[in-house]
Amino acid sequence: MDGGPLLALEQLLLVVLLCGMLVVFLVDRFRMEVVALTGLALGVLFGLVGPADAFAGFANPAFITVVEILLVVKVLSRSGLLERLSARIVALRLGPTGLLATLCALTAALSVVMNNIGALALMIPVAFGVCRASDLNPKFVLMPIAFASLLGGVCSIVGTPANLIVSQQLALATGTGFSFFSYAVAGLPAALAGIAVLCLLAPRILPVTGGGAATPAPPSLPSRSVVAEGVVPAGSPLVGASPAGLPFELHAVTRAGKRQFLPRVAVLEAGDRLLIGIDHSRLARLRADGALDLGAGPPDGISLQAVVMPESTVVGSRIATIEALAARGIVTRAASLQSPRIEGGFADLQLSIGDVLYLEGEPDLLREALEETEMLALEAAESVRTDPPDWRPLCVFLGGVALAAFAPVAPQIAFGLVVLALALAGWLNLRDGLANLPWPVLIMLAAMIPLGEAVETTGTARLLADLLLSALPSTDLPLIASVLLLAVLVTPFVNNASTAIVLGPIAIGIAQAAGLPPEPFLLALALGVSIDFLTPFGHHSNMIVMGLGAYRFADFLRLGLPVTLASGMTGLAALVGLWL
């Protein structure tokens, strides 16, 4: 480097800053938007990002398009279209593998034209409906459709925010970004290979049948380990029982209004309030047998399970503080939590993405509360949705997809017109829609974009690319494969948008230093950050189904590793064969 130091001061500061942020993202002790904004502030303070560019991320086309797609998905989720599909899918009379293939293909197809979390959210009620009617274990389909939502997202520019970011980086480097379906060059073969492996291996790795009953019967939603609180009534068989011999895990005992020190509780007494961990089906039996009083529910209430989604307003809230539920008389009976830590009472439990709440309330009030909190009902129940499906919003959306794909119209303009049309037609309330967007994720994205651009403007990308080139053969296949592998290894620990922002300029630098076109390198990066199947925490889709299906960490590795290898190698072969 002309005899100078390997890293200039600003390059060293930027590398240290980005590495530090990735570590903090991995630790997951602080809110992602706070970490991103702190990193952006430090970038401005150190002169890595100009003050005029600090908030340029909010005007970035990638950010604008993500906001537009999220608004559209909210309208489509209320249209009721996909909730009617379960009966039609079951009517096909396919076997378990055929049903799984149908659900995965439909999820992937939806994810091509909308963000992958939105596609998964639309398909979860459909999947549960199919499982109920076909005696399938929800565990058999939930992880595969989550993976399918990621596989479909690699086929178009709007399938995931990472694709929008990568296209923007290409436009900055060459003047022209990717077209709507450019990603399908590698994405479509990768998606087909991944879904084929899912259909082949899922019946061998995951339980297929529902309840295993002698006579087929529609299974209920899967029974999970939950935390619940109840009172021991007089005459309960629990009275006089020793804590050591209970058929559940005892977390706390409150007696006469005072919390007891558990080692000093010799036996349970009538009137004790217990905080317990228990399988939900066993909790239901205890309640039915009068062994544990969970309290009376609303007079005309129904029971409903709802999952906390990434955009939900209750993420980080404690159960006692969810005003949308309390104001409507909705009772939270139990909670299935991702976090094993139990502190305080049931009302003090803090919610995170993928947690499942067991609610009781009047149907209309439940529906209102779920819409306000952006939680997702797991049952496609007529008691929760009775209005007929409306095809018009979908037609408007598909018109926007066609405009972005086949006309010289930028995605942010095409989908901006869709949002405007939905608002003018009265199907979208912009004030409510914008208020209920997942702003922590969006703020994180907007704050990371200027830092990603700084990787290019400070020369850090070219310098890191030269370092990688010196350690790798200077031929196309190893270089593209190294970008793909690096993305696959980093993304399970850092969200895919941040990975694309940081690695994009480096991928372009490698291509330029090797004298190769940047497109296959960026497509490899986009593929690598999306085939995130190895861990339950690598992507929000995985986090959501982790709790719904009561999966173990090893389940993701056992099914995710073969899918990663199949999709990654197939996509890599397509890139090398078609681009080079």
Side-chain angles (χ1 to χ4, degrees), residues 360-411:
E360 291 182 11
E362 296 181 9
D364 291 341
L365 297 179
L366 276 170
R367 179 178 173 182
E368 291 177 6
L370 294 183
E371 289 182 354
E372 181 176 331
T373 60
E374 296 295 319
M375 289 191 287
L376 176 66
L378 301 185
E379 301 95 329
E382 267 59 49
S383 57
V384 178
R385 178 178 294 281
T386 57
D387 49 314
D390 189 347
W391 291 89
R392 293 172 297 175
L394 178 61
C395 293
V396 173
F397 175 58
L398 292 179
V401 172
L403 195 62
F406 305 114
V409 179

Side-chain angles (χ1 to χ4, degrees), residues 567-579:
S567 56
M569 293 176 68
T570 303
L572 180 62
L575 282 176
V576 174
L578 294 175
W579 274 96

